[in-house]
Amino acid sequence: MAPEIMKGKFITFEGSEGCGKSTQSKMLAAYLKKNGLSVVYVREPGGTRISEKIRSILLDTKNDRMAQESEMLLYMAARAQIVKEIILPALKKGKIVISDRFLDSTLAYQGYGLGMDLDFIRQVGKFVSLGIKPGLTIFLDLPVKKGLKHRKFCEDRIEKRSLDYHGRVRQGYLKLARLEPARIKVVSVEQEKAKTQSKIRELVEKYVI
Ligand code: TMP
């Protein structure tokens, strides 16, 4: 991260479908706020007017003919917007930014999942991220079959992909974590919600303090 924006802390949550990422990340944001910290909570894709519009295009099951190149670039476009409008200004002000997903999602879902070139995704990611990078990433890990159990009820365009696809996404995340063990921490969610949350808090406290 560029020196002038080092003041803030950037924490991201990653995970496969149904891992409880939104619940856990929101619980963390509430906990930090309760402790007097200034927290900005966002989700990807989304979080700004433009990015939410892009989100609905991306997840609409009617868009079943979307080219993978369009898909990757739309995730990046949504990211460019939220970085410029919300994340970068907040980090410059010294806030803690918690994002439900960031660039690792594109590496996992479009890179490892669809087989797109990882280095190219990293390059485009760098371009849209304006020099920011998470200092801590929590990867909430769950076996694919368990995560997709609920899928009949709320299927979006990505979620409805095959078990094999979601397996590649999960393995991709685990590879990313092995490549950057200092930043990406793997937390299993095959335990009580409260236990997962206290493990997350432990990791975050080490990073924030
Ligand atoms: P969500 O379910 O966590 O809100 O995320 C929306 C979907 O978009 C989810 O299936 C993961 C997928 N996704 C990608 O495929 N690539 C990305 O870069 C991001 C941010 C999400």
Side-chain angles (χ1 to χ4, degrees):
M1 202 183 279
E4 74 275 15
I5 54 178
M6 283 293 278
K7 280 197 294 176
K9 301 275 182 191
F10 188 23
I11 301 168
T12 58
F13 278 77
E14 295 288 351
S16 322
E17 312 300 321
C19 68
K21 187 172 44 57
S22 303
T23 311
Q24 291 290 346
S25 56
K26 282 180 189 158
M27 277 166 83
L28 174 73
Y31 168 75
L32 295 177
K33 279 182 190 166
K34 218 174 112 196
N35 282 280
L37 295 165
S38 185
V39 178
V40 171
Y41 180 88
V42 291
R43 73 157 176 184
E44 266 225 76
T48 72
R49 217 174 87 83
I50 294 169
S51 312
E52 288 291 336
K53 285 196 169 173
I54 299 174
R55 179 186 175 92
S56 57
I57 297 171
L58 277 164
L59 300 185
D60 188 344
T61 50
K62 287 196 226 85
N63 292 335
D64 56 356
R65 293 174 63 196
M66 188 182 292
Q68 62 183 35
E69 292 79 5
S70 311
E71 177 177 310
M72 191 274 270
L73 290 170
L74 283 171
Y75 278 112
M76 291 295 190
R79 183 161 303 132
Q81 198 62 36
I82 197 172
V83 166
K84 200 161 218 175
E85 262 190 61
I86 298 179
I87 302 179
L88 188 59
L91 290 174
K92 280 185 176 166
K93 285 186 194 144
K95 300 193 181 207
I96 296 175
V97 177
I98 298 178
S99 184
D100 179 343
R101 297 196 184 280
F102 199 64
L103 182 58
D104 296 305
S105 283
T106 319
L107 289 165
Y109 282 81
Q110 282 67 49
Y112 290 102
L114 293 180
M116 296 186 80
D117 187 82
L118 292 167
D119 284 336
F120 183 60
I121 294 175
R122 285 195 178 94
Q123 277 174 38
V124 182
K126 211 167 172 193
F127 172 67
V128 301
S129 301
L130 305 177
I132 63 162
K133 201 179 171 190
L136 174 67
T137 296
I138 312 273
F139 169 56
L140 296 179
D141 188 34
L142 182 68
V144 170
K145 274 194 185 158
K146 289 195 179 165
L148 291 174
K149 261 204 304 217
H150 71 297
R151 134 164 123 156
K152 290 196 271 323
F153 309 106
C154 51
E155 243 184 9
D156 62 41
R157 201 178 57 84
I158 307 288
E159 214 170 358
K160 75 197 278 246
R161 287 182 175 157
S162 68
L163 264 183
D164 276 1
Y165 172 80
H166 289 288
R168 289 196 297 279
V169 170
R170 180 184 181 212
Q171 291 309 320
Y173 271 128
L174 292 169
K175 273 188 208 154
L176 292 171
R178 284 196 293 275
L179 288 173
E180 283 187 76
R183 172 177 70 88
I184 307 180
K185 306 293 181 192
V186 182
V187 176
S188 165
V189 293
E190 284 194 283
Q191 54 184 339
E192 280 169 33
K193 266 189 202 157
K195 278 199 180 147
T196 303
Q197 181 63 201
S198 63
K199 179 72 198 152
I200 292 170
R201 288 181 191 176
E202 224 177 81
L203 292 165
V204 168
E205 274 157 18
K206 272 194 212 140
Y207 169 58
V208 168
I209 296 162

